[in-house]
Amino acid sequence: MTENSAAPDPDAGAESAADGNTEYGRRKFKRSRSHFADRVTAAGEDGWPVSAGRYRLVVSRACPWASRVLVSRRLLGLESALSLAVVDPLQDDRSWRFTLDPEGRDPVLGIRYLSEAYDARETGYPGGVSVPAIVDVPSGLLVTNDFQQMTLDLATEWRALHRPDAPDLYPEPLRDEIDEVAEEIYRDVNNGVYRAGFATEQDEYEAAYADVFHRLDLLSARLADRRYLVGDTITEADIRLFTTLVRFDPVYHGHFKCNRNKLTEDPVLWAYTRDLYQTPGFGDTVDFDHIKRHYYAVHTGINATGIVPAGPDLSGWLTPHHREQLGGRPFGDATPPGPPPTAERIAHPGRP
């Protein structure tokens, strides 16, 4: 996640579980811009040209911002061009760690902690160690942690490495509308749930709560008679909304106190999210086990016991959604991605 100038970085884990994580909900929440905002582009203007196999994408499957990049990478078929490192959903005092890998070390980068790539880029960097992050494999340097720009660049700058018949997730004629919708979603929903969950005062919480549900009501109305947010195919806007909605009932409803209603109690948004979840490239990147263990076990400032809820029941994610009756085609004239690589498949209990 992005650095947080006034509180521990949500989902970055820059401070220790014993110290920083207890501060969630006790210090005022404000999300700041990504510190490392270099771009990987076709022309390499920032010194980082697109190149198959050169970069490694580091994610936590718990993090909604990292999940955006996971979905985009799958839809565009970039698995072989941009390798993937998945960190442990729990952190220690050095933040995101590669304890899911043999000997606790990323097999490509050769490091135990993502912070090592940050330190290689900027000695003494004082901010949060956040995901998603792109690391240059030859040098071991962090390239970017700019989650807002990362998926846009995958969709546009990485075209030469897209799979055949990959969808256009950021079509030029629709970009203004996509940007407008995405900004509203970011302000009131993506970031809004964090503003509510980490609020330190009642009025601060209630304002964020109101923003979240006002926007969700507007999105529900928008999606009542159209299958996707912008146009008649999946775009960047849908990816950005999906990664928050898929986490809503497991963590945001209870843990972040966004409890006016559950996602499952809004017929439109529940059907919309199930439609996307059942679309190749979406649900096959979601690990509910990582999501729940991270939020409830790491945010001890708002869940002091660290107890991870057993629910909710996941079986509903696979039930019919009937959204195809609204028309639209998920990929337009493009094709869906194939199955995820074996090493990237989600195991139980992370999926229905």
Side-chain angles (χ1 to χ4, degrees), residues 39-51 54-55 157:
R39 295 173 59 192
V40 181
T41 61
E45 296 94 337
D46 291 341
W48 310 106
V50 171
S51 178
R54 175 171 173 176
Y55 306 101
E157 298 292 332

Side-chain angles (χ1 to χ4, degrees), residues 147-331:
F147 71 98
Q148 295 281 47
Q149 186 63 41
M150 208 176 290
T151 51
L152 300 181
D153 284 343
L154 289 186
T156 56
E157 298 292 332
W158 289 65
R159 286 186 186 275
L161 299 179
H162 288 182
R163 64 180 174 84
D165 296 321
D168 187 352
L169 301 175
Y170 195 46
E172 195 160 357
L174 299 177
R175 286 183 187 177
D176 287 346
E177 186 177 0
I178 291 171
D179 291 346
E180 179 181 359
V181 172
E183 173 57 29
E184 293 168 348
I185 290 170
Y186 171 76
R187 183 186 64 238
D188 296 337
V189 181
N190 300 147
N191 203 45
V193 294
Y194 279 86
R195 289 169 43 227
F198 293 135
T200 58
E201 298 179 2
Q202 187 69 32
D203 59 350
E204 178 188 355
Y205 158 73
E206 290 183 4
Y209 173 100
D211 288 343
V212 168
F213 285 102
H214 173 69
R215 184 59 55 190
L216 289 179
D217 286 343
L218 292 175
L219 290 166
S220 183
R222 181 184 183 98
L223 289 163
D225 59 0
R226 56 194 301 170
R227 193 171 180 183
Y228 303 111
L229 284 168
V230 181
D232 60 359
T233 64
I234 290 167
T235 68
E236 175 77 14
D238 298 293
I239 296 171
R240 295 189 178 206
L241 180 56
F242 171 80
T243 58
T244 294
L245 294 185
V246 78
R247 288 163 171 76
F248 201 88
D249 288 4
V251 289
Y252 301 144
H253 178 270
H255 185 57
F256 278 179
K257 306 179 186 69
C258 294
N259 60 356
R260 190 195 73 178
N261 58 267
K262 297 178 181 178
L263 175 69
T264 54
E265 293 168 346
D266 184 309
V268 172
L269 292 181
W270 175 223
Y272 166 78
T273 314
R274 293 204 316 281
D275 185 6
L276 292 177
Y277 183 87
Q278 294 171 30
T279 299
F282 282 84
D284 53 35
T285 68
V286 176
D287 191 324
F288 287 107
D289 177 57
H290 279 209
I291 290 168
K292 291 197 303 179
R293 286 198 290 127
H294 171 76
Y295 280 88
Y296 286 102
V298 170
H299 299 163
T300 54
I302 55 177
N303 185 39
T305 65
I307 292 174
V308 179
D313 179 16
L314 300 180
S315 60
W317 284 102
L318 302 180
T319 58
H321 52 77
H322 305 298
R323 293 281 295 178
E324 66 279 355
Q325 297 175 5
L326 296 175
R329 295 176 296 159
F331 303 105

Side-chain angles (χ1 to χ4, degrees), residues 6-23:
D9 180 15
D11 303 324
E15 302 178 58
S16 72
D19 299 321
N21 295 332
T22 63
E23 294 302 309

